[in-house]
């Protein structure tokens, strides 16, 4: 239904409830940040409502084209109209031309005007009652919008049908309130973890189970600084619409992206550090899957290396293509670590490997394991993986930005 290529969304369908089209248009405007017209089609005619962003004067755009309509009226921010359904394409074309000719950024977010900053610790039901004296609220008498900050998010969870809505529990001092945000259920993780959150809200009264409480309704949200989100763990889902760094395949173009997901880690962490130091991300999601978790196996103890050498010394030839699993089981060393240990032995000249067959060099000079570059690289990998798997998101971010 929504056409991303359009500057103004003209949405129409048979069977829509005419009584809620204005509300739907307003909600879509908030969600899309675009001017929206929603129309119900009945008996070949389209009737509905428009809600417009500040940059687009919907009345000015359509008033010169009254011949297109059976009925039309409104003002800069909203309009109502009836026209033949066959004229909907012409309506869309008129609006696209208006936006283009005016040079308007029709996808830019509208300004939000705040009436007052509220102190949560002094907020009460009496506050709501005092503002209700300004009712009724509507297009020409907007409900007051308040600014709140310097609070803690105690909890964030999705709710409602399909978990489509969001409920926050926030606190400041001894004051505690619930904040409801319609259509924001998918962002529960972000709201639970974000830092320096500021909200624009309206005030409402919630009556449930015989109790009356003050409830805040989110109008908009703002954050300051880089936001870091921990989505490590099997059950955590990746966010929609954010480029994903998956080092098992081709990486996406992130040159213009302000947010990124680290799905997994490259074997050389310097690759990831280079990416971070070349981009100014405003939001980072740390999934941090690790294909070969060396931080769990360690880099090999002196006893493990000695036991491996003693075992393979007994065999003139050892086919690691087929016997690696058995050797791993016998030595009680994880296969991923065992492979690294064998590579270290090969580098130091203790063994040779040809066509998958490992042979012990019984004439090899005695050398310390620490002389191996493979061993030093493995120790660094263990250290890097420990940070990425166990560190806080702030520690990880600082580590990646460290030159």
């Amino acid at each position: 239904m929504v056409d991303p290529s359009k500057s103004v969304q003209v949405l129409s369908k048979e069977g829509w409830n005419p009584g809620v089209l204005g509300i739907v248009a307003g909600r879509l405007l908030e969600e899309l940040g675009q001017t929206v017209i929603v129309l119900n089609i009945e008996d070949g005619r389209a009737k509905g409502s428009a809600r417009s962003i500040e940059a687009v004067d919907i009345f000015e755009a359509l008033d010169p084209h009254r011949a297109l309509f059976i009925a039309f009226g409104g003002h800069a921010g909203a309009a109502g109209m009836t026209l033949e359904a066959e004229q909907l394409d012409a309506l869309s074309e008129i609006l696209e031309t208006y936006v283009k000719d005016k040079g308007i950024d029709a996808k830019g977010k509208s300004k939000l005007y705040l009436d007052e900053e509220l102190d949560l610790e002094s907020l009460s039901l009496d506050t709501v009652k005092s503002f209700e004296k300004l009712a009724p609220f509507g297009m020409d008498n907007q409900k007051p919008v308040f600014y709140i900050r310097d609070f803690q998010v105690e909890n964030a969870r999705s709710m409602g049908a399909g978990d489509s809505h969001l409920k926050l529990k926030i606190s400041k001092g001894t004051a505690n309130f619930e904040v409801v945000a319609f259509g924001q259920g998918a962002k529960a993780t972000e709201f639970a973890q974000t830092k320096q959150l500021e909200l624009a809200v309206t005030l409402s009264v919630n009556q449930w189970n015989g109790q009356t409480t003050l409830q805040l309704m989110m109008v908009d949200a703002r954050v300051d600084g880089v936001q870091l989100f921990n989505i490590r763990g099997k059950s955590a889902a990746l966010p929609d619409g954010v480029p994903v760094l998956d080092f098992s395949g081709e990486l996406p173009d992130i040159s213009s992206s302000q947010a990124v997901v680290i799905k997994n880690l490259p074997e050389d962490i310097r690759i990831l550090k280079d990416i971070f130091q070349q981009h100014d991300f405003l939001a980072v999601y740390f999934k941090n899957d690790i294909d070969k978790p060396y931080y769990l196996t360690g880099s090999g103890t002196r006893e493990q290396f000695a036991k491996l050498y003693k075992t393979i010394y007994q065999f003139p030839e050892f086919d690691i293509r087929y016997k690696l699993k058995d050797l791993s089981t016998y030595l009680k060393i994880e296969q991923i670590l065992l492979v690294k240990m064998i590579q270290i032995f090969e580098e130091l000249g203790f063994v040779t490997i040809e066509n998958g067959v490992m042979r012990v060099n019984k004439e090899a000079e005695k050398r310390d394991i620490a002389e191996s570059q493979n061993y030093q690289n493995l120790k660094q990998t263990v250290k890097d993986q420990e940070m990425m798997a166990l560190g806080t998101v702030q520690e990880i971010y600082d580590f990646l930005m460290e030159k």
Side-chain angles (χ1 to χ4, degrees):
M1 293 288 291
V2 173
D3 186 345
S5 67
K6 297 291 187 181
S7 299
V8 176
Q9 299 297 328
V10 179
L11 310 176
S12 61
K13 189 177 180 180
E14 293 183 352
W16 280 348
N17 184 347
V20 299
L21 297 182
I23 297 173
V24 172
R27 289 279 172 82
L28 287 172
L29 180 147
E30 292 175 4
E31 182 72 21
L32 302 173
Q34 290 181 269
T35 297
V36 179
I37 303 177
V38 182
L39 307 112
N40 175 54
I41 298 177
E42 185 175 354
D43 297 330
R45 290 185 173 182
K47 182 178 181 180
S49 298
R51 295 292 183 268
S52 187
I53 62 173
E54 185 178 11
V56 176
D57 186 328
I58 193 69
F59 186 81
E60 180 185 79
L62 297 179
D63 187 49
H65 305 278
R66 284 184 174 270
L68 186 71
F69 302 100
I70 298 168
F72 171 75
H75 52 79
M81 64 196 71
T82 304
L83 68 162
E84 299 293 343
E86 62 187 23
Q87 297 291 347
L88 289 174
D89 287 342
L91 172 63
S92 179
E93 186 175 340
I94 287 169
L95 291 167
E96 294 300 313
T97 300
Y98 173 83
V99 169
K100 183 178 179 180
D101 290 347
K102 292 282 187 177
I104 296 170
D105 178 11
K107 296 182 181 180
K109 196 167 185 178
S110 299
K111 290 182 180 178
L112 178 63
Y113 295 96
L114 304 174
D115 292 279
E116 188 177 340
E117 181 174 354
L118 287 182
D119 178 9
L120 291 179
E121 292 185 279
S122 62
L123 191 57
S124 67
L125 281 171
D126 290 335
T127 311
V128 183
K129 293 176 182 178
S130 66
F131 282 107
E132 283 180 346
K133 296 176 182 178
L134 301 175
F137 300 112
M139 182 60 67
D140 295 321
N141 182 30
Q142 297 285 335
K143 200 169 187 179
V145 178
F146 302 101
Y147 171 58
I148 59 173
R149 59 177 174 171
D150 299 330
F151 55 84
Q152 299 295 320
V153 178
E154 303 294 344
N155 179 263
R157 64 177 180 86
S158 54
M159 66 173 194
D163 288 333
S164 57
H165 307 308
L166 174 72
K167 178 177 283 189
L168 305 180
K169 287 187 177 181
I170 65 173
S171 67
K172 183 179 181 181
T174 58
N176 295 273
F177 296 98
E178 290 186 343
V179 183
V180 172
F182 291 115
Q184 300 298 319
K187 294 185 173 65
T189 296
E190 286 85 343
F191 276 98
Q193 299 185 37
T194 194
K195 305 298 182 185
Q196 296 179 297
L197 177 64
E198 302 171 6
L199 295 178
V201 299
T202 58
L203 307 181
S204 69
V205 174
N206 182 40
Q207 294 181 325
W208 179 255
N209 285 341
Q211 292 196 353
T212 301
T213 57
L214 172 58
Q215 185 171 261
L216 310 180
M217 308 301 294
M218 188 187 304
V219 177
D220 208 345
R222 183 175 69 184
V223 293
D224 186 28
V226 179
Q227 301 299 311
L228 308 174
F229 303 111
N230 180 15
I231 56 171
R232 290 172 290 186
K234 293 181 179 180
S235 62
L238 301 183
D240 293 331
V242 180
V244 176
L245 295 181
D246 182 350
F247 291 94
S248 65
E250 185 176 350
L251 298 181
D253 179 9
I254 56 172
S255 57
S256 60
S257 178
Q258 293 185 319
V260 71
V261 176
I262 303 175
K263 184 177 186 296
N264 49 37
L265 305 183
E267 189 161 333
D268 186 347
I269 202 69
R270 289 175 296 183
I271 297 172
L272 185 57
K273 295 187 78 165
D274 286 344
I275 291 173
F276 265 70
Q277 292 169 22
Q278 292 171 15
H279 295 82
D280 294 321
F281 297 119
L282 295 181
V284 183
Y285 297 80
F286 294 104
K287 184 69 171 173
N288 294 7
D289 290 342
I290 300 175
D291 181 44
K292 296 178 180 178
Y294 294 111
Y295 76 101
L296 296 178
T297 67
S299 54
T301 64
R302 184 174 295 275
E303 290 74 17
Q304 286 175 318
F305 278 104
K307 190 174 182 180
L308 170 60
Y309 189 79
K310 182 179 179 180
T311 301
I312 62 177
Y313 193 85
Q314 302 174 44
F315 301 94
E317 293 185 354
F318 193 93
D319 196 328
I320 56 178
R321 293 171 298 180
Y322 307 109
K323 297 293 185 178
L324 184 66
K325 184 177 180 181
D326 293 338
L327 183 60
S328 170
T329 302
Y330 174 74
L331 295 173
K332 297 181 180 179
I333 299 174
E334 293 289 338
Q335 283 192 53
I336 58 170
L337 175 58
L338 184 57
V339 169
K340 288 290 186 182
M341 292 171 67
I342 291 172
Q343 290 172 348
I344 291 167
F345 276 4
E346 183 182 26
E347 179 190 352
L348 295 175
F350 297 163
V351 300
T352 60
I353 300 175
E354 186 175 352
N355 297 324
V357 177
M358 178 172 62
R359 296 178 176 86
V360 176
N361 178 10
K362 296 187 177 182
E363 305 299 323
E365 296 180 8
K366 186 176 181 180
R367 299 177 64 184
D368 194 288
I369 294 297
E371 295 179 44
S372 165
Q373 187 60 52
N374 281 328
Y375 177 70
Q376 296 301 330
N377 291 344
L378 178 58
K379 285 182 65 178
Q380 186 62 49
T381 297
V382 169
K383 184 178 179 181
D384 294 342
Q385 287 187 356
E386 284 178 345
M387 171 60 73
M388 300 300 290
L390 306 176
T392 67
V393 289
Q394 187 62 57
E395 288 171 341
I396 295 171
Y397 180 77
D398 292 342
F399 165 69
L400 293 175
M401 296 300 291
E402 185 180 63
K403 295 185 179 180

